[in-house]
């Protein structure tokens, strides 16, 4: 994916620091240190002390300490020298946080950054948001009633638009250079995910995918749909969801002008969609019926290259395809590759 150089006429890109007890601040520091071309025009929404600590953690022999500078407004980022981390300090200053441990203070700090960035994006002050990983338990400990970034951003967009959350449907897309997959449901129990396979939910997922991926590709995307059951139900032997719900909804979408096919056996459709050896796959994107069905194939191809993209919002948002990695937080071992890919993708999406 090509890097589009940042210039002052573009809107800046905000990177939220994620959970300060996780690897988010460290991979941000590494991205600014190792790839100034990608991070040009980007700034961090977070806490100065946390980013300074992260910069110190990733420095060492042959790795100079990356300075951290405070900015007061997003456009100030264009006055910041390269290989310097510009930080927009959140009003709620963060006290000492134990690295690698769940805490309410860390969860609240991570949520504050996302809320600020979402509101700035809705006001058109920034062009896109790249979110470093947060921890769902820390969010819950802080009393945040949303299980993750997607739901938190959805709530902010709904409030800004004066709508209910249900009126702002969103979907999660995981993408790398070889495969794209969009999830019908996100962070719910598997029993609830099965119940979410309804004609209305699937048709909305197909519509959002058709419009969002089409805008990215500048053409109508070829959409493949995975079945819910093994062998896509095997003609009703292993379940009737494909016959009663999925196939009729696909036909409805086709009549509406979408290039949709399926349902296909979920153990083969992702291989058919994979672009490899310079050859495009059979599909541009696959609709997965639940969270792990779609994420396992993308992550198997390489977590370091995976990017999470939120579709359906009036906000352009990407994130790395991994979590807070508390087990290695504070050691400087975390790989920034997925974050760098998320920034690259955000550049393509940003106005």
């Amino acid at each position: 994916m090509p890097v589009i150089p940042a210039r002052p006429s573009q809107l800046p890109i905000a990177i939220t620091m994620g959970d300060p007890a996780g690897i988010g601040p460290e991979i941000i520091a590494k991205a600014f240190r190792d790839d100034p071309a990608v991070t040009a025009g980007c700034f961090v929404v977070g806490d100065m002390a946390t980013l300074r600590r992260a910069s110190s953690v990733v420095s060492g022999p042959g790795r100079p300490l990356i300075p951290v500078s405070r900015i007061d407004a997003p456009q100030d980022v264009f006055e910041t020298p390269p290989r310097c981390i510009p930080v927009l300090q959140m009003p709620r200053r963060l006290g000492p946080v134990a690295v690698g441990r769940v805490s309410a203070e860390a969860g609240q700090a991570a949520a504050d950054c996302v809320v600020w960035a979402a509101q700035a994006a809705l006001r058109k002050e920034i062009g896109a948001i790249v979110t470093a990983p947060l921890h769902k338990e820390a969010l819950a400990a802080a009393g945040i009633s949303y299980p993750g970034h997607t739901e938190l951003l959805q709530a902010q967009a709904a409030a800004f638009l004066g709508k209910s959350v249900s009126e702002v449907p969103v979907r999660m897309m995981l993408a790398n250079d070889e495969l794209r997959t969009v999830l019908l449901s996100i962070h719910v129990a598997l029993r609830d995910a099965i119940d979410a396979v309804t004609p209305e939910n699937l048709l909305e997922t197909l519509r959002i995918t058709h419009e969002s991926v089409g805008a990215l590709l500048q053409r109508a995307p070829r959409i493949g749909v995975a079945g819910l059951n093994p062998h896509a139900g095997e003609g009703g032997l292993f379940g009737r969801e494909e016959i009663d719900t999925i196939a009729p909804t696909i036909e409805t979408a086709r009549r509406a002008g979408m290039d949709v096919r399926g349902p296909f056996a979920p153990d083969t459709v992702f291989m058919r969609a994979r672009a490899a050896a310079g050859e495009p796959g059979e599909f541009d994107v696959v609709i997965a019926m639940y969270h792990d069905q779609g994420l396992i194939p993308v992550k198997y191809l390489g977590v370091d290259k995976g990017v999470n993209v939120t579709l359906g919002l009036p906000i352009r948002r990407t994130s790395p395809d991994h979590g807070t990695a508390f087990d290695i937080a504070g050691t400087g071992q975390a790989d920034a590759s997925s974050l760098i890919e998320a920034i690259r993708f955000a550049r393509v999406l940003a106005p």
Side-chain angles (χ1 to χ4, degrees):
M1 189 180 301
V3 176
I4 301 173
R7 55 186 186 274
S9 61
Q10 290 182 311
L11 291 173
I13 292 175
I15 306 173
T16 61
M17 74 173 178
D19 191 303
I23 63 170
E26 295 171 44
I27 59 176
I28 290 171
K30 283 188 175 183
F32 277 89
R33 180 194 70 192
D34 297 340
D35 209 327
V38 168
T39 55
C42 299
F43 68 97
V44 182
V45 184
D47 177 70
M48 292 280 292
T50 299
L51 269 298
R52 286 193 175 115
R53 181 185 68 190
S55 178
S56 177
V57 166
V58 303
S59 65
R63 299 290 191 185
L65 184 70
I66 307 300
V68 176
S69 63
R70 176 169 178 160
I71 61 173
D72 297 317
Q75 284 292 332
D76 294 347
V77 70
F78 295 111
E79 307 302 322
T80 305
R83 288 195 173 86
C84 180
I85 306 173
V87 177
L88 195 145
Q89 173 68 47
M90 289 290 90
R92 194 198 310 257
R93 289 191 174 273
L94 186 62
V97 170
V99 174
R101 294 185 182 179
V102 172
S103 74
E105 187 174 19
Q108 185 64 62
D112 287 347
C113 296
V114 176
V115 169
W116 185 95
Q119 293 176 353
L122 290 163
R123 294 191 301 264
K124 310 298 185 186
E125 296 172 3
I126 58 177
I129 306 170
V130 180
T131 56
L134 48 69
H135 200 286
K136 293 175 176 58
E137 287 184 44
L139 286 183
I144 308 298
S145 59
Y146 304 103
H149 280 116
T150 304
E151 298 84 355
L152 186 54
L153 291 167
Q154 181 185 27
Q156 290 297 312
F160 182 85
L161 297 171
K163 297 182 177 181
S164 66
V165 170
S166 63
E167 292 177 297
V168 186
V170 300
R171 296 296 184 270
M172 178 190 292
M173 179 173 77
L174 268 292
N176 56 32
D177 291 339
E178 299 177 76
L179 183 64
R180 302 182 189 94
T181 181
V182 175
L183 311 182
L184 185 72
S185 60
I186 308 177
H187 302 121
V188 297
L190 184 55
R191 292 184 185 277
D192 296 331
I194 294 170
D195 293 337
V197 182
T198 65
E200 297 78 16
N201 200 12
L202 178 55
L203 189 60
E204 187 79 343
T205 303
L206 291 170
R207 180 191 65 78
I208 291 171
T209 303
H210 173 77
E211 292 176 358
S212 300
V213 179
L216 178 65
L217 299 178
Q218 297 296 300
R219 60 172 172 79
R222 300 164 300 150
I223 303 173
V225 179
L228 172 67
N229 299 296
H231 301 184
E234 197 73 80
L237 292 176
F238 306 143
R240 291 195 54 87
E241 286 84 359
E242 287 78 10
I243 295 172
D244 296 339
T245 301
I246 301 174
T249 306
I250 289 172
E251 184 56 35
T252 300
R254 289 178 64 85
R255 289 198 300 267
M258 302 181 208
D259 185 357
V260 187
R261 285 185 285 157
F264 299 108
D267 58 352
T268 59
V269 66
F270 298 100
M271 291 185 287
R272 294 171 62 175
R274 182 184 179 188
E279 293 294 327
E282 188 175 344
F283 310 110
D284 297 306
V285 59
V286 176
I287 305 299
M289 291 297 109
Y290 55 91
H291 183 278
D292 286 10
Q293 185 189 62
L295 266 62
I296 288 172
V298 177
K299 291 192 175 187
Y300 178 78
L301 293 174
V303 173
D304 58 330
K305 295 296 183 182
V307 177
N308 178 357
V309 185
T310 302
L311 306 181
L313 288 177
I315 297 171
R316 297 164 179 86
R317 176 256 174 165
T318 68
S319 74
D321 183 20
H322 59 71
T324 51
F326 275 3
D327 57 326
I328 61 169
T331 68
Q333 300 176 46
D335 188 343
S337 298
S338 186
L339 176 67
I340 291 172
E341 289 302 312
I343 297 170
R344 291 182 194 274
F345 212 110
R347 283 208 183 285
V348 174
L349 298 175

